[in-house]
């Protein structure tokens, strides 16, 4: 009987613990909120572009770039990738990066600049990783083109 009570208590406790934990996995739309919606994404992209301009490893790639357009297209793209209410109106990743001779090291440098910008904006690390995981598959369309 005593064992039954202990068992019942243990099951009850497990149920309580389980119920108090966030059960549903975060959805794509949650990521948009975690990035701070449009104002947050705009600040992240601005921070990333400033970091890039100060990064001697990759700044030279952007010498002839229309930064206002790049800023606008990056905001749209990150909005879409995080589940936000946007449409991406820019060129494909292959078209916009072909002929730029972007290496794997360049790609990693840009990811570092983006991560630093998210850190400054206080984006939680799991949300940072979720955005990076959404962008990672684009790598093959961007490097060595
Ligand atoms: C996940 C990584 C990346 C994403 C999501 C991304 C996204 C974009 C987007 C949305 C555009 C604008 C396309 C348009 O104008 O319609 C663009 C253009 C551009 N990207 Fe990237 N990019 C990435 C990596 C890189 C890297 C690593 C470099 C170089 C270090 C780079 C250099 C450029 C340049 C120079 C342009 C402007 C091209 C032009 O002036 O026409 N990008 N990128």
């Amino acid at each position: 009987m005593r064992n039954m009570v202990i068992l019942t208590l243990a099951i009850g406790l497990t149920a309580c613990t389980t119920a108090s934990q966030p059960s549903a996995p975060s959805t794509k739309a949650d990521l948009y909120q975690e990035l701070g919606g449009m104002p947050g994404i705009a600040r992240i992209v601005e921070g990333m572009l400033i970091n890039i301009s100060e990064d001697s490893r990759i700044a030279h790639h952007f010498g002839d770039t229309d930064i206002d357009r790049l800023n606008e297209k990056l905001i749209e793209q990150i909005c879409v990738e995080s589940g936000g209410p946007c449409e991406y109106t820019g060129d494909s990743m292959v078209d916009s990066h072909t002929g730029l001779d972007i290496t794997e090291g360049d790609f990693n440098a840009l990811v570092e600049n983006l991560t630093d910008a998210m850190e400054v904006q206080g984006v939680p690390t799991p949300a940072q990783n979720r955005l990076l995981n959404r962008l990672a598959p684009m790598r093959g369309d961007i490097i060595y083109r």
Side-chain angles (χ1 to χ4, degrees), residues 11-145:
I11 291 170
L13 194 63
T14 311
C16 279
T17 319
T18 313
S20 66
Q21 281 172 359
S23 45
S26 327
T27 63
K28 213 174 149 201
D30 293 333
L31 179 57
Y32 175 71
Q33 297 304 335
E34 284 179 292
L35 296 177
M38 278 309 257
I41 291 172
R43 283 194 296 269
I44 291 166
V45 171
E46 185 188 19
M48 180 181 85
L49 290 176
I50 291 171
N51 293 343
I52 288 174
S53 73
E54 294 169 348
D55 187 338
S56 59
R57 294 172 296 178
I58 56 170
H60 60 278
H61 281 293
F62 297 84
D64 296 330
T65 302
D66 176 345
I67 297 295
D68 285 343
R69 177 187 163 96
L70 180 60
N71 183 53
E72 179 189 302
K73 302 306 173 197
L74 282 169
I75 291 172
E76 283 176 7
Q77 194 182 38
I78 292 179
C79 174
V80 169
E81 293 302 330
S82 63
C86 305
E87 187 192 346
Y88 176 65
T89 62
D91 298 332
S92 73
M93 290 300 94
V94 170
D95 285 352
S96 44
H97 298 94
T98 296
L100 296 182
D101 280 332
I102 297 172
T103 65
E104 195 170 0
D106 294 335
F107 188 87
N108 293 342
L110 182 136
V111 167
E112 210 179 292
N113 293 151
L114 171 58
T115 307
D116 289 348
M118 288 194 283
E119 193 67 34
V120 167
Q121 290 305 320
V123 175
T125 307
Q128 293 181 19
N129 290 335
R130 286 169 65 209
L131 178 62
L132 297 178
N133 284 338
R134 302 272 326 161
L135 302 181
M138 298 174 187
R139 186 170 162 277
D141 289 344
I142 291 171
I143 64 173
Y144 303 121
R145 291 268 162 198

